[in-house]
Structure formats: C-alpha cells, structure tokens
Amino acid sequence: MQTRSIKTKELSALLDQLRAAGVEIIAPARAPGVGRAVVYRRVSGFSDIIMGVQPRGTLKEHFLPASERILGWRRGGAHLELLEASTDCAPRIVLGAFPCDAAALEVVDAVMGWDYRDEFWFNRRQATIVVSIACDGGDESCFCHAVGLSPGSTRGADLMFVPVDGGFQVEVTTGRGQAWLEEHQEYFSEAGDSTQAVAFQERATTRSSQRPRPHMESIGRWLKNNFQHDYWDQLALRCHGCGACTMVCPTCHCFDLVDEPEGPEGGSRRRNWDTCQAATFTLHASGHNPRPGQGARYRQRILHKFSIYPARFHELLCTGCGRCSRVCSSGMDMLELLGEIHDMASITEPTTSPEARNEP
Amino acid sequence: MSNQAPSAARGPSADNATFEPRIVAFVCNWCTYTGADLAGTSRIQMASNVRILRLPCTGRIDPLFVMKAFERGADGIIVSGCHPGDCHYIVGNFHARRRFRVFRELLDFLGVDPERITFSWVSASEGGKWAQVVNDTTRRIREMGPMESWPRASTALDDDLHG
Amino acid sequence: MKELQDLARRLLLEGRVDIVIGYQQGPRGVRPSFVTRPEQADALIFDERCVHNLVTYLSPRRAHLAAWPRRAVVVKGCDTRAVAVLLRESHIDREDIVLIGLRCGGVHRSAEASGPLTAESVAFRCADCSIREPELVDHLLGDPRPAPPGNSRLAERIGQLESMSHEQRREFWNNEFSRCIRCHACRQVCPMCYCERCIADKTRPRWIESSAHLRGNTAWNMIRAMHLAGRCVGCGECGRACPVGIPLGLLNRKLAMVVDEHFDYRATDDPEVPGPLGSFRSDDAEEFIV
C-alpha cells in the first residue's frame, strides 16, 4: 500500500467537495450545549474539526446508535401493519478516528456477524470510509499496547493520517482506502520526506510503552479460574453501578429491545444501549437476580472483555482507549485492575513475573 | 379512539379559530368530580374539550400524569380538587398545592408555559364554577394554540438524536 | 491526615465499625476508599480534591455494602445535609453510623485537580456554603479552614436562562437533553436516589420511556428533578457523573431556589426539619389556583 500526503488546505477543499457530493462527514468536534466536550459528530466542514484530541464520546454511536427504531407498527382497521425500518446508509467518511476507536469497529464486527448478521451495523460499516489519525501516545489511562494495538495501529482504518507540518502524511491500509484515495487523488500529493511522521510515531510509541503492560493471556486464565473470588466484591465497593464506563466504551455493544406505543394508532420497536452494570440488566420477572450485587456485575464486565469474548472470537473486547477510567466518577481504573489481576495471576502462575508488566 | 375531540383540527398548521384543544382534567373523587357531575345533571353548557380522569385526591395526582398527558397529545391540563380545609383525607390538597407550585416552576424553567395547566378548587356544590373552569381553560388553550414545545409520541419516529 | 488515619484505625480495632469509608489517592486523582482492616487506614487522606459525596455509600440501595453494616464515613459540612435527609426519611439509623467530620474550606470541581482552590476551580456548591465545621458528626477533625473563593456561575447561568423566552429556554434544554444517553449515572451516584426500584425502571406501565430520544430524555430529566425537589442537597455529583456533560446542577439549583422562595426551606444538616414537599402550611400562597 502506498504513502501520500495532504495539505490542510487541500483536505478542507476535499471535505467541501465530499459534502457537495452528499457524503456525510463524521469527525471529532465540540458537542453543542454547555459541556462543549469533543465528540464524534457530523460536521459541515474542516473548520469544525478538532484533529488529534481523543473525543469523550465513542465512534460506536454512529454505527450502533444509543437508540434507534428497528421496526414500526400501525393499526389499520382490524389488522396490524408492520413497517420495516430502513437499514440503508448514505455514504459517509469518518475523519480523525483514534486508532483505538477504529480498531474497535473491527472487534465488534465479530459479534455483529456471528449467529445473525446485523444489517444496521454492516450497512453502516460498508457505507463508511474510516480515516484514522495517529495518536500522540495518550495519557496515563491508555493501555492500547497491552491489548495488541499501538498509537500508530491501522486496524479498522482504511487510511491513516499522521500529523506533519501544514498537513498530514497519509498511509493507505486497505484496498478500499486505496480506491477511495485514487478517486480523490487530485487533493493528495507525493509522500515526500517522512522524517517528521516517523518521529511523531516514535515519540508516541515511547510514551505509550512506558506505561504498565499487564499480560493479557495470564489474566484471561486467571479470570477463567476465579469466578468465585473475594476480589470482585472488594473491587466493586466504590462502584456506583452507573454504567458510564460501558456507555463510553468503544467495544461495549449490549442492547435492549423495547416496544413503545406511540398513541393508539401505532408504535415502534427500538434498540437501546444497555449496560451490564445495571441491576435490571439481568433481573428476572420473578424478582430473582442472578447477578445480585455490584461485584457480580463488575465481574461480568471484566469477564466479557478479557475471557468470554476471547474464547468465542479469539480477540479481546477492549482496545485500551482508557475512557472507562477517565469517565468514572468514583475513580475505578481499568489499568490498575488489570495490573492487580496480573499480579494475582503471577502468584498462581510463577512463569509470569510481576516485573514482566513493565517490559515492552 | 372513542374519546377523541370532535373533528379536531390539529397540528401546527391549524389556525386558532378551528383548533380544538385536547384538555385532560385530573380531578379528585370527592369534590371536583361530584361538582362536574352536578354541572352535567344541571345541564350547564360548557366546552366539550375536556376529558376527566377521576382520582381519589389531588394528593394522588403525580406530575408524572401531567407529563404523560402532554406526551400523548394533550394541549392543556386541569388539576382540581377540594377547597383547602375540605379534603376528604384532611391534608391531601395541601400537599398537592406545594407539589404543583414546584412543578409549574420546573415547567417554566424548562421552557414550557405553565399557563398550559389550570389548578382549581371546585367543591361538590360548585357545578357552575366547574363549567367556568372548563370554559376558561378551553378558551385560553385555544388562544395559545397546539402544544408544540413538548416532544410528542408521533414526533419520535424518525429522529436521529445522536448523529 | 494522621489524626484521621489514627481514628479510622481505632474504630476498626475497637470493633466500633466494620468499614471506614473515606478518601484515598487513586491513579487519577482522589477517589473513595473502603478501609476494612486497621492496616489499610494509612491510605486515608483529606484535601481540596475530596469532591465526592460519600454519603451515597450509606444509601440502603447499595446491597453490596450490606456485608459491612456498621459504617464510619468521612463527611464534609455539605455532606452532612445528605445524612440529614436519609435520617429524616428513615433510611438509616443514626446508631448504625459513625460520622467523621472534616473541617472544610471548599473543594475543587474535579477530583483530578491540582494546586490551590481558585474561583475558577472551586465546586459550584461551595459558592454559598457557610459550613466550615460540620455539626452532625461524632468526631470533628482537621484544622480550621478559610472560606472558599466565591463563585456565582451557577446563579448567573440560572439568571441568564430566566431572562430568556420560553422558546429559547426550550431550545436550550432540548439541546442538553438530546445528548442524554439514559445511562442513569446521575441517579446511581445520587445519595438521595435510594429507591430499590426507580420509576424509570418500572415497566407496567412504562411511565418513563427508556429510549434515548428527546421524549424519553425529557421525561426522565424532568421526573428526576421533581423527585429531588426539596430533597436535593446540591452536592453536584449528578453533573459530575454525567458522561455527556448535561448541567444537571442547574435544574436542581433552580428547584432549591423555588422551595427557598415559597416554602422558606434550605438544605440543612438538621434531620428534624421536615422536607418542604412532605409538609405544608395551611396558608401557603395559592395565587396560581383558581
């Protein structure tokens, strides 16, 4: 695959042209309202975009919305008419996806196409070109290097931009990305000198690799063997069960289906985000709850990410973005937790020394 | 829907002359409901826009009921019960008075005109007053026009809030 | 710091309590700490980053804390007002809890903040807080503290909103509520939201739609504000927990102003003062009633 470059001015012009052609542009930009946090949202042009800041919200909401109508019904006299919701998706481009967010799309593909092919998800996936931006190395909550990714990982991206003076170096990573670039090649120039881009990525890798590196295989084995362990209840003491961690997680994908009457004439079936951290997630109609406390619920989240999903789909349900730690109002920390489990696993499995956590 | 307002012209395009407001009245069993019954048996003429829901006491009228009514298409609301001191449960209406004070202020702060809600004391003997409350509320809501500031059931179908 | 750690250790050693809930340094700023063994007491700290209202861990809803029924909890002056509501509403027994009060000169809005308190960084609730020394406590620790720097941003923003038209206010709140993703983090962290089964989780009938559309979001945020009217102690944890940054404190503060103006009620650390919506005066004004 080839390497090219694009100047900021050209990128701005390209976005204008895409918009004019009816392509939706999703990029990191300030949300409307009081908080003004950076989120992935539809933008109208380059001036809205804030490149290189990890958005507070996840990219997933553009593929799996927090709430979406999947079916409708209307009463017509004696019979009921069912209205299929369209799964079509207009062409889109995501510009400035963080590597951890782009990779998450591919991770979640596995479950979305497993026993049932989710057309809402895959039609959006197919309609969307993902352009990621190389990360500068993240903060103390990041741990992409521990889950097989890196600040320069191109997984899930069709192209990746690396910031250089006056623009970006462009790495093409998929055939789709190649075709898209060729379609718009007048905006791109030759790659030129790559010194700056290489230096950027080296700095990022150095930063991220200084953080602890828990050993995911031994953590997976420990999880499998320690379903019953005092650790879980102790761990969950400070947890409010608010589920904000799952909401901002790029890989959490659990949903609830609800039927909402909208007056006597009809209604909608909707798919809404749900969270394993809520008691109602597993509450039976009888009143029995198989996950009665926050310890059991927190354990479920960790198990799903680092044991259940890997067993079924051969990869971790986590891209190390660190949002769960950043959003938690009571200071639960994923990297700390993985380190603790790593240490407990090292005691039972002497081959993995605690020191190994810090080896790159 | 059996209790639909008669040939109601609805929607933002309806001009106020032909607009027939849908008004839901939450009333207490002991005073206002009996008062409304008296208005009926006395054959007092009044607007036919009001649908009555009978509850034990104004103290049982949760602001949630009002929210749900707006959500499902009401343009105006009447909450009515016994005069202070006459509550069948002694203090229910005193509590309701405080609750609706707060609720009105909340609606106002959220940008919903609290004039959409009439709160009244109508006793079992005040059939005439009930007719007046109904007529005054209907006239006022007709002037205000259809409730447009509340997200209605029918408006959620095609939204895409998180795009 | 040392007197706090010593007290916690003593309470545990003497078997007075099963757990001490306080603050500790975490990977990202200060966070709640749960000390069940005397040797863990050294982790306890108290400083301007201790923004969390730990009284929420006394709420009977927290089933996973039931194994430690006798709890000591570190409280600031403002936090004791939440204790008072739980006592007033008979959700905790005073005998079951030990309250460790810390003298407080205000806290940062963020547990990750650093440096001294400034008018920029100070939590909104500290703006009009006059409780330097909590009274509803069993132990009072710490050095006397000066009053926090003033900050009137919350009041100013409410004033701005009040000066708008209904349409403008509706637009403002639609903008805010449309970002809500219905995680209910605001409820989960709230010390006053102790219901075993929240109205938003009830399905027969489904009063509050769970979908994150404007209709469901409006219903949820409205009923949350209503259920906290006259009960909210203004700790601001709801707004701090909100992952999408909805200024929930504005709604709560507005209703606190309403109950103050009409019912002469302000959040208090006196559990004997009845709640404004659980009480009444026969001569309450009723100019809005026909």
Side-chain angles (χ1 to χ4, degrees), chain B residues 124-146:
Chain B
S125 62
E126 293 177 316
K129 182 175 179 186
W130 174 251
Q132 198 185 336
V133 166
V134 165
N135 287 334
D136 288 352
T137 305
T138 305
R139 189 180 321 113
R140 192 176 72 242
I141 301 297
R142 198 193 302 279
E143 281 165 12
M144 293 173 84

PDB file of all heavy atoms in Angstrom, chain B residues 124-146:
ATOM      1  N   ALA B 124     -68.125  20.088  45.620  1.00  0.00           N
ATOM      2  CA  ALA B 124     -69.213  19.245  45.102  1.00  0.00           C
ATOM      3  C   ALA B 124     -70.436  20.077  44.731  1.00  0.00           C
ATOM      4  O   ALA B 124     -71.252  19.670  43.908  1.00  0.00           O
ATOM      5  CB  ALA B 124     -69.581  18.196  46.154  1.00  0.00           C
ATOM      6  N   SER B 125     -70.560  21.267  45.311  1.00  0.00           N
ATOM      7  CA  SER B 125     -71.741  22.081  45.034  1.00  0.00           C
ATOM      8  C   SER B 125     -71.502  23.137  43.964  1.00  0.00           C
ATOM      9  O   SER B 125     -72.389  23.895  43.619  1.00  0.00           O
ATOM     10  CB  SER B 125     -72.194  22.768  46.339  1.00  0.00           C
ATOM     11  OG  SER B 125     -71.154  23.623  46.779  1.00  0.00           O
ATOM     12  N   GLU B 126     -70.244  23.172  43.442  1.00  0.00           N
ATOM     13  CA  GLU B 126     -69.888  24.251  42.520  1.00  0.00           C
ATOM     14  C   GLU B 126     -69.918  23.803  41.054  1.00  0.00           C
ATOM     15  O   GLU B 126     -68.926  23.905  40.340  1.00  0.00           O
ATOM     16  CB  GLU B 126     -68.505  24.826  42.865  1.00  0.00           C
ATOM     17  CG  GLU B 126     -68.488  25.552  44.211  1.00  0.00           C
ATOM     18  CD  GLU B 126     -67.111  26.062  44.607  1.00  0.00           C
ATOM     19  OE1 GLU B 126     -66.117  25.329  44.451  1.00  0.00           O
ATOM     20  OE2 GLU B 126     -67.046  27.211  45.106  1.00  0.00           O
ATOM     21  N   GLY B 127     -71.064  23.307  40.624  1.00  0.00           N
ATOM     22  CA  GLY B 127     -71.204  22.901  39.226  1.00  0.00           C
ATOM     23  C   GLY B 127     -70.936  24.065  38.283  1.00  0.00           C
ATOM     24  O   GLY B 127     -70.285  23.919  37.250  1.00  0.00           O
ATOM     25  N   GLY B 128     -71.416  25.234  38.644  1.00  0.00           N
ATOM     26  CA  GLY B 128     -71.216  26.413  37.807  1.00  0.00           C
ATOM     27  C   GLY B 128     -69.752  26.785  37.705  1.00  0.00           C
ATOM     28  O   GLY B 128     -69.261  27.152  36.636  1.00  0.00           O
ATOM     29  N   LYS B 129     -69.040  26.667  38.828  1.00  0.00           N
ATOM     30  CA  LYS B 129     -67.623  27.018  38.805  1.00  0.00           C
ATOM     31  C   LYS B 129     -66.862  26.040  37.901  1.00  0.00           C
ATOM     32  O   LYS B 129     -65.952  26.425  37.160  1.00  0.00           O
ATOM     33  CB  LYS B 129     -67.035  27.024  40.216  1.00  0.00           C
ATOM     34  CG  LYS B 129     -65.557  27.444  40.201  1.00  0.00           C
ATOM     35  CD  LYS B 129     -64.947  27.593  41.589  1.00  0.00           C
ATOM     36  CE  LYS B 129     -63.471  27.980  41.476  1.00  0.00           C
ATOM     37  NZ  LYS B 129     -62.794  27.999  42.774  1.00  0.00           N
ATOM     38  N   TRP B 130     -67.234  24.761  37.969  1.00  0.00           N
ATOM     39  CA  TRP B 130     -66.568  23.772  37.111  1.00  0.00           C
ATOM     40  C   TRP B 130     -66.734  24.159  35.637  1.00  0.00           C
ATOM     41  O   TRP B 130     -65.770  24.153  34.872  1.00  0.00           O
ATOM     42  CB  TRP B 130     -67.110  22.361  37.357  1.00  0.00           C
ATOM     43  CG  TRP B 130     -66.533  21.366  36.383  1.00  0.00           C
ATOM     44  CD1 TRP B 130     -67.198  20.753  35.358  1.00  0.00           C
ATOM     45  CD2 TRP B 130     -65.175  20.923  36.307  1.00  0.00           C
ATOM     46  NE1 TRP B 130     -66.342  19.945  34.647  1.00  0.00           N
ATOM     47  CE2 TRP B 130     -65.085  20.035  35.207  1.00  0.00           C
ATOM     48  CE3 TRP B 130     -64.016  21.201  37.051  1.00  0.00           C
ATOM     49  CZ2 TRP B 130     -63.882  19.417  34.843  1.00  0.00           C
ATOM     50  CZ3 TRP B 130     -62.830  20.580  36.690  1.00  0.00           C
ATOM     51  CH2 TRP B 130     -62.775  19.704  35.593  1.00  0.00           C
ATOM     52  N   ALA B 131     -67.975  24.505  35.259  1.00  0.00           N
ATOM     53  CA  ALA B 131     -68.219  24.882  33.859  1.00  0.00           C
ATOM     54  C   ALA B 131     -67.353  26.077  33.480  1.00  0.00           C
ATOM     55  O   ALA B 131     -66.809  26.143  32.374  1.00  0.00           O
ATOM     56  CB  ALA B 131     -69.696  25.202  33.667  1.00  0.00           C
ATOM     57  N   GLN B 132     -67.189  26.992  34.421  1.00  0.00           N
ATOM     58  CA  GLN B 132     -66.381  28.174  34.129  1.00  0.00           C
ATOM     59  C   GLN B 132     -64.900  27.815  33.982  1.00  0.00           C
ATOM     60  O   GLN B 132     -64.219  28.321  33.089  1.00  0.00           O
ATOM     61  CB  GLN B 132     -66.576  29.195  35.258  1.00  0.00           C
ATOM     62  CG  GLN B 132     -66.140  30.576  34.848  1.00  0.00           C
ATOM     63  CD  GLN B 132     -66.218  31.557  36.016  1.00  0.00           C
ATOM     64  OE1 GLN B 132     -66.972  31.346  36.968  1.00  0.00           O
ATOM     65  NE2 GLN B 132     -65.457  32.614  35.931  1.00  0.00           N
ATOM     66  N   VAL B 133     -64.414  26.916  34.853  1.00  0.00           N
ATOM     67  CA  VAL B 133     -63.018  26.468  34.756  1.00  0.00           C
ATOM     68  C   VAL B 133     -62.797  25.813  33.402  1.00  0.00           C
ATOM     69  O   VAL B 133     -61.807  26.077  32.701  1.00  0.00           O
ATOM     70  CB  VAL B 133     -62.683  25.496  35.913  1.00  0.00           C
ATOM     71  CG1 VAL B 133     -61.369  24.758  35.640  1.00  0.00           C
ATOM     72  CG2 VAL B 133     -62.602  26.246  37.235  1.00  0.00           C
ATOM     73  N   VAL B 134     -63.738  24.960  32.989  1.00  0.00           N
ATOM     74  CA  VAL B 134     -63.627  24.263  31.703  1.00  0.00           C
ATOM     75  C   VAL B 134     -63.631  25.273  30.555  1.00  0.00           C
ATOM     76  O   VAL B 134     -62.775  25.220  29.664  1.00  0.00           O
ATOM     77  CB  VAL B 134     -64.783  23.250  31.542  1.00  0.00           C
ATOM     78  CG1 VAL B 134     -64.900  22.787  30.094  1.00  0.00           C
ATOM     79  CG2 VAL B 134     -64.571  22.063  32.477  1.00  0.00           C
ATOM     80  N   ASN B 135     -64.560  26.190  30.589  1.00  0.00           N
ATOM     81  CA  ASN B 135     -64.662  27.170  29.500  1.00  0.00           C
ATOM     82  C   ASN B 135     -63.457  28.096  29.452  1.00  0.00           C
ATOM     83  O   ASN B 135     -62.918  28.367  28.378  1.00  0.00           O
ATOM     84  CB  ASN B 135     -65.951  27.991  29.646  1.00  0.00           C
ATOM     85  CG  ASN B 135     -67.171  27.165  29.272  1.00  0.00           C
ATOM     86  OD1 ASN B 135     -67.071  26.215  28.483  1.00  0.00           O
ATOM     87  ND2 ASN B 135     -68.316  27.505  29.852  1.00  0.00           N
ATOM     88  N   ASP B 136     -63.031  28.567  30.625  1.00  0.00           N
ATOM     89  CA  ASP B 136     -61.884  29.479  30.656  1.00  0.00           C
ATOM     90  C   ASP B 136     -60.619  28.778  30.160  1.00  0.00           C
ATOM     91  O   ASP B 136     -59.844  29.338  29.386  1.00  0.00           O
ATOM     92  CB  ASP B 136     -61.633  29.996  32.089  1.00  0.00           C
ATOM     93  CG  ASP B 136     -62.696  30.995  32.519  1.00  0.00           C
ATOM     94  OD1 ASP B 136     -63.520  31.381  31.653  1.00  0.00           O
ATOM     95  OD2 ASP B 136     -62.724  31.374  33.709  1.00  0.00           O
ATOM     96  N   THR B 137     -60.429  27.544  30.624  1.00  0.00           N
ATOM     97  CA  THR B 137     -59.221  26.805  30.221  1.00  0.00           C
ATOM     98  C   THR B 137     -59.247  26.544  28.724  1.00  0.00           C
ATOM     99  O   THR B 137     -58.248  26.731  28.025  1.00  0.00           O
ATOM    100  CB  THR B 137     -59.122  25.477  30.999  1.00  0.00           C
ATOM    101  OG1 THR B 137     -59.167  25.765  32.393  1.00  0.00           O
ATOM    102  CG2 THR B 137     -57.832  24.750  30.672  1.00  0.00           C
ATOM    103  N   THR B 138     -60.408  26.132  28.212  1.00  0.00           N
ATOM    104  CA  THR B 138     -60.515  25.838  26.781  1.00  0.00           C
ATOM    105  C   THR B 138     -60.215  27.096  25.963  1.00  0.00           C
ATOM    106  O   THR B 138     -59.474  27.045  24.981  1.00  0.00           O
ATOM    107  CB  THR B 138     -61.924  25.323  26.452  1.00  0.00           C
ATOM    108  OG1 THR B 138     -62.197  24.200  27.296  1.00  0.00           O
ATOM    109  CG2 THR B 138     -62.017  24.890  24.992  1.00  0.00           C
ATOM    110  N   ARG B 139     -60.762  28.211  26.400  1.00  0.00           N
ATOM    111  CA  ARG B 139     -60.540  29.452  25.663  1.00  0.00           C
ATOM    112  C   ARG B 139     -59.048  29.821  25.683  1.00  0.00           C
ATOM    113  O   ARG B 139     -58.463  30.172  24.670  1.00  0.00           O
ATOM    114  CB  ARG B 139     -61.380  30.585  26.270  1.00  0.00           C
ATOM    115  CG  ARG B 139     -61.373  31.868  25.408  1.00  0.00           C
ATOM    116  CD  ARG B 139     -62.220  33.002  26.018  1.00  0.00           C
ATOM    117  NE  ARG B 139     -63.451  32.531  26.628  1.00  0.00           N
ATOM    118  CZ  ARG B 139     -63.713  32.570  27.939  1.00  0.00           C
ATOM    119  NH1 ARG B 139     -62.834  33.069  28.787  1.00  0.00           N
ATOM    120  NH2 ARG B 139     -64.869  32.133  28.416  1.00  0.00           N
ATOM    121  N   ARG B 140     -58.453  29.695  26.861  1.00  0.00           N
ATOM    122  CA  ARG B 140     -57.047  30.075  26.985  1.00  0.00           C
ATOM    123  C   ARG B 140     -56.151  29.175  26.131  1.00  0.00           C
ATOM    124  O   ARG B 140     -55.275  29.644  25.408  1.00  0.00           O
ATOM    125  CB  ARG B 140     -56.619  30.014  28.453  1.00  0.00           C
ATOM    126  CG  ARG B 140     -55.266  30.666  28.693  1.00  0.00           C
ATOM    127  CD  ARG B 140     -54.891  30.698  30.170  1.00  0.00           C
ATOM    128  NE  ARG B 140     -54.557  29.378  30.667  1.00  0.00           N
ATOM    129  CZ  ARG B 140     -55.227  28.746  31.627  1.00  0.00           C
ATOM    130  NH1 ARG B 140     -56.278  29.308  32.215  1.00  0.00           N
ATOM    131  NH2 ARG B 140     -54.859  27.543  32.014  1.00  0.00           N
ATOM    132  N   ILE B 141     -56.401  27.872  26.191  1.00  0.00           N
ATOM    133  CA  ILE B 141     -55.553  26.934  25.426  1.00  0.00           C
ATOM    134  C   ILE B 141     -55.790  27.148  23.927  1.00  0.00           C
ATOM    135  O   ILE B 141     -54.869  27.060  23.119  1.00  0.00           O
ATOM    136  CB  ILE B 141     -55.846  25.472  25.820  1.00  0.00           C
ATOM    137  CG1 ILE B 141     -55.609  25.255  27.320  1.00  0.00           C
ATOM    138  CG2 ILE B 141     -54.990  24.505  25.005  1.00  0.00           C
ATOM    139  CD1 ILE B 141     -54.193  25.458  27.791  1.00  0.00           C
ATOM    140  N   ARG B 142     -57.023  27.457  23.564  1.00  0.00           N
ATOM    141  CA  ARG B 142     -57.301  27.715  22.150  1.00  0.00           C
ATOM    142  C   ARG B 142     -56.470  28.912  21.663  1.00  0.00           C
ATOM    143  O   ARG B 142     -55.901  28.888  20.586  1.00  0.00           O
ATOM    144  CB  ARG B 142     -58.787  27.995  21.947  1.00  0.00           C
ATOM    145  CG  ARG B 142     -59.243  27.854  20.494  1.00  0.00           C
ATOM    146  CD  ARG B 142     -60.629  28.429  20.280  1.00  0.00           C
ATOM    147  NE  ARG B 142     -61.648  27.811  21.126  1.00  0.00           N
ATOM    148  CZ  ARG B 142     -62.237  26.653  20.848  1.00  0.00           C
ATOM    149  NH1 ARG B 142     -61.922  25.985  19.775  1.00  0.00           N
ATOM    150  NH2 ARG B 142     -63.161  26.163  21.650  1.00  0.00           N
ATOM    151  N   GLU B 143     -56.388  29.920  22.527  1.00  0.00           N
ATOM    152  CA  GLU B 143     -55.580  31.092  22.162  1.00  0.00           C
ATOM    153  C   GLU B 143     -54.090  30.755  22.089  1.00  0.00           C
ATOM    154  O   GLU B 143     -53.363  31.270  21.237  1.00  0.00           O
ATOM    155  CB  GLU B 143     -55.789  32.214  23.181  1.00  0.00           C
ATOM    156  CG  GLU B 143     -57.088  32.981  22.965  1.00  0.00           C
ATOM    157  CD  GLU B 143     -57.454  33.843  24.173  1.00  0.00           C
ATOM    158  OE1 GLU B 143     -56.586  34.010  25.063  1.00  0.00           O
ATOM    159  OE2 GLU B 143     -58.613  34.309  24.224  1.00  0.00           O
ATOM    160  N   MET B 144     -53.645  29.891  22.979  1.00  0.00           N
ATOM    161  CA  MET B 144     -52.217  29.527  22.992  1.00  0.00           C
ATOM    162  C   MET B 144     -51.859  28.650  21.797  1.00  0.00           C
ATOM    163  O   MET B 144     -50.697  28.596  21.387  1.00  0.00           O
ATOM    164  CB  MET B 144     -51.857  28.787  24.296  1.00  0.00           C
ATOM    165  CG  MET B 144     -51.951  29.661  25.539  1.00  0.00           C
ATOM    166  SD  MET B 144     -51.718  28.711  27.063  1.00  0.00           S
ATOM    167  CE  MET B 144     -49.935  28.699  27.158  1.00  0.00           C
ATOM    168  N   GLY B 145     -52.845  27.935  21.281  1.00  0.00           N
ATOM    169  CA  GLY B 145     -52.581  27.060  20.140  1.00  0.00           C
ATOM    170  C   GLY B 145     -52.125  25.687  20.594  1.00  0.00           C
ATOM    171  O   GLY B 145     -51.981  25.426  21.792  1.00  0.00           O
ATOM    172  N   PRO B 146     -51.873  24.801  19.628  1.00  0.00           N
ATOM    173  CA  PRO B 146     -51.474  23.430  19.978  1.00  0.00           C
ATOM    174  C   PRO B 146     -50.168  23.418  20.761  1.00  0.00           C
ATOM    175  O   PRO B 146     -49.299  24.261  20.543  1.00  0.00           O
ATOM    176  CB  PRO B 146     -51.287  22.755  18.617  1.00  0.00           C
ATOM    177  CG  PRO B 146     -51.976  23.613  17.625  1.00  0.00           C
ATOM    178  CD  PRO B 146     -51.954  25.004  18.172  1.00  0.00           C
TER     179      PRO B 146
END
